[in-house]
Amino acid sequence: MSRLFGTDGVRGLAGVDVTAELALGLAQAAALVLGRDARSESRRPVAVVARDPRVSGEFIAAAVSAGLASAGVDVLDAGVIPTPAAAYLVADAQADFGVMVSASHNPAADNGIKFFAEGGRKLPDAVEDQIEAALSGQLLNTTGREVGRIRRFADAEDRYVVHLLGSLGLSLEGIHVVLDCAHGAAAGISPQVFTDAGATVTVIGNAPDGFNINDGVGSTYLGPLAEKVREVGADLGIAHDGDADRCLAVDADGNTVDGDQIMAILALSMSDRGLLHENTLVATVMSNLGLKLAMADNGIEVVETGVGDRYVLEAINANGYSLGGEQSGHVIMSEHATTGDGVLTGLHLAAEMKRSGKSIAELASCMTVLPQVLVNVRGVDRSKAATDSVIAQAVAQAEVVLGGTGRVLLRPSGTEPVVRVMVEAPSIETAEQLAHDLAEVVRDRIPV
């Protein structure tokens, strides 16, 4: 039997994979596992529940709240807010745990459920396994005064906005930024924060209707953002994903500034200011080789982890590092957040422009990006990708072709039903050829 939890909670097609029944049961199981230590005769556990604006979030969040309350947990309903806001509010409200209903950058038809422990931290695998195991056991059903209450978390957005502004320490006056909110959870908060910070703000992707989240906008579709930046003559464009835990950027000419470049910019700034703990950056194996080379040139160590911001977080928390993230735009600034925060990252990226007096293009030139091609192979059995001997041989042959001038990474996705094939090479032509050749091998060897 496959594990219910992936690299970022439980995720799938809403109404089929993620049902009201599953949401109710997961909530009751989480109440048993995460609320155990907080429960007493005089006190019920407290949980923050939030969601992104996709339509299925309405019934899933309602089922989660019902499950928690029926199991004796008081619910603070924060409504539609970014995932990092939910994490922050768990800590700020001194709640015992939190639940976020979101499928992040996935299409609108998908949804997911993720949990935060006390302090707003993501759960380790072992605790997720406990919740999954509790689903098949005796769950809590309370009565009378033991039943939990569901209340609106009325000042949730205000608390988060104040927190973000308090992290800056300078005004963004004089910077014109275009924000792409992906018709998602950042549609209200991100424009407000940047405006309050003093920036001139133009916004796209800020009209969520429950069905258009991530649809041709946001961090996975940077074309509209680049076009708008050029149209209005902005200094910078920032794109979030549906739940705003990502930040990607474009410069004044519309060129992409990805998560690796953002991390490089922030790492150099923090190192210069003595804020980069142990002069170390945490990145995943998917980060571009150019990031490692740039950090080495500046005396900054790079610690590598598996793919997924949870693994970056584990390394940060275990060693007290202050910065880490992924090429996809999950950037974790541990002084201010317990998880990736796209709005926070965008603010600090703009702040570095203001602090240095440099354009985003000048700042991003601190690293040279090696040509990298990523192919998502669909319609295959991702569980067999790591064990098939023919696929392993094909990867080894590709590495021989590269001869140490690049690298190959082939892995099953933890959040989508795909196998990811990534190739870095001295030229884009070589990277594309090898990546597509490997993708064909995967399709042939492990079809569904």
Side-chain angles (χ1 to χ4, degrees):
M1 181 179 175
S2 61
R3 187 172 185 266
L4 180 62
F5 285 86
T7 57
D8 199 20
V10 177
R11 192 178 297 186
L13 182 61
V16 175
D17 303 311
V18 183
T19 63
E21 292 81 7
L22 176 63
L24 184 78
L26 272 174
Q28 290 176 317
L32 185 65
V33 174
L34 300 177
R36 181 185 295 120
D37 295 338
R39 194 179 303 275
S40 68
E41 291 184 3
S42 61
R43 181 181 182 274
R44 291 188 296 265
V46 177
V48 173
V49 174
R51 63 181 180 89
D52 72 24
R54 68 189 74 212
V55 65
S56 60
E58 296 174 7
F59 80 78
I60 295 171
V64 166
S65 294
L68 293 175
S70 71
V73 176
D74 285 342
V75 174
L76 295 175
D77 179 5
V80 175
I81 58 172
T83 289
Y88 169 75
L89 290 167
V90 170
D92 192 54
Q94 298 183 321
D96 298 293
F97 62 98
V99 189
M100 182 69 192
V101 177
S102 173
S104 190
H105 59 283
N106 284 29
D110 289 346
N111 218 323
I113 302 169
K114 66 182 81 174
F115 295 94
F116 293 101
E118 186 177 12
R121 299 189 180 279
K122 288 195 173 182
L123 304 186
D125 290 348
V127 177
E128 289 183 338
D129 290 341
Q130 290 176 32
I131 294 173
E132 185 170 343
L135 267 174
S136 57
Q138 182 64 46
L139 298 172
L140 291 172
N141 285 291
T142 57
T143 60
R145 293 184 179 276
E146 294 179 349
V147 173
R149 305 295 299 269
I150 302 174
R151 295 184 174 88
R152 176 79 176 121
F153 198 157
D155 61 344
E157 286 192 12
D158 291 341
R159 290 195 192 199
Y160 179 55
V161 167
V162 169
H163 159 67
L164 291 173
L165 293 172
S167 75
L168 270 183
L170 54 75
S171 167
L172 300 183
E173 185 178 359
I175 292 179
H176 184 179
V177 58
V178 177
L179 301 174
D180 182 347
C181 298
H183 298 309
I189 285 177
S190 191
Q192 177 186 347
V193 171
F194 274 87
T195 299
D196 290 349
T200 299
V201 177
T202 301
V203 191
I204 64 173
N206 64 326
D209 62 9
F211 302 96
N212 59 357
I213 189 170
N214 301 315
D215 187 7
V217 289
S219 61
T220 49
Y221 301 95
L222 293 176
L225 176 63
E227 182 179 346
K228 180 60 71 171
V229 166
R230 291 191 294 264
E231 176 190 327
V232 301
D235 303 301
L236 168 71
I238 290 172
H240 303 305
D241 61 336
D243 68 337
D245 61 357
R246 293 188 184 192
C247 169
L248 292 181
V250 300
D251 66 20
D253 294 321
N255 299 309
T256 298
V257 180
D258 69 14
D260 287 340
Q261 293 166 294
I262 291 170
M263 286 192 290
I265 293 167
L266 295 178
L268 291 176
S269 172
M270 291 171 67
S271 179
D272 288 345
R273 292 180 288 139
L275 300 177
L276 191 66
H277 183 66
E278 294 190 13
N279 229 32
T280 297
L281 171 68
V282 182
T284 77
V285 294
M286 288 290 282
S287 277
N288 194 278
L289 183 59
L291 175 63
K292 287 186 178 180
L293 298 176
M295 295 299 96
D297 288 344
N298 288 275
I300 296 173
E301 182 180 353
V302 176
V303 171
E304 275 194 339
T305 74
V307 176
D309 66 326
R310 64 182 302 151
Y311 303 115
V312 175
L313 275 164
E314 285 177 4
I316 286 175
N317 293 336
N319 301 281
Y321 298 135
S322 48
L323 181 66
E326 299 184 280
Q327 187 184 69
S328 60
H330 282 114
V331 177
I332 301 147
M333 306 179 72
S334 63
E335 180 184 352
H336 308 296
T338 58
T339 187
D341 189 327
V343 183
L344 177 75
T345 301
L347 285 170
H348 283 263
L349 189 61
E352 184 54 25
M353 292 176 63
K354 183 67 176 288
R355 187 180 291 112
S356 67
K358 296 180 179 179
S359 70
I360 191 67
E362 289 174 304
L363 291 172
S365 68
C366 67
M367 69 170 275
T368 299
V369 179
L370 269 67
Q372 185 183 81
V373 173
L374 176 65
V375 178
N376 292 320
V377 188
R378 301 184 182 275
V380 296
D381 186 349
R382 58 179 172 170
S383 67
K384 297 178 181 178
T387 57
D388 187 273
S389 61
V390 174
I391 292 175
Q393 183 180 8
V395 170
Q397 290 173 344
E399 290 172 337
V400 169
V401 171
L402 290 170
T405 62
R407 64 186 182 122
V408 177
L409 184 64
L410 188 150
R411 55 174 287 274
S413 169
T415 58
E416 297 180 83
V418 301
V419 172
R420 304 197 196 282
V421 178
M422 188 273 284
V423 177
E424 287 175 345
S427 71
I428 189 65
E429 293 80 12
T430 300
E432 286 180 343
Q433 184 66 56
L434 291 174
H436 288 288
D437 287 349
L438 285 171
E440 283 304 312
V441 174
V442 172
R443 290 189 188 96
D444 290 342
R445 291 294 300 173
I446 54 172
V448 172

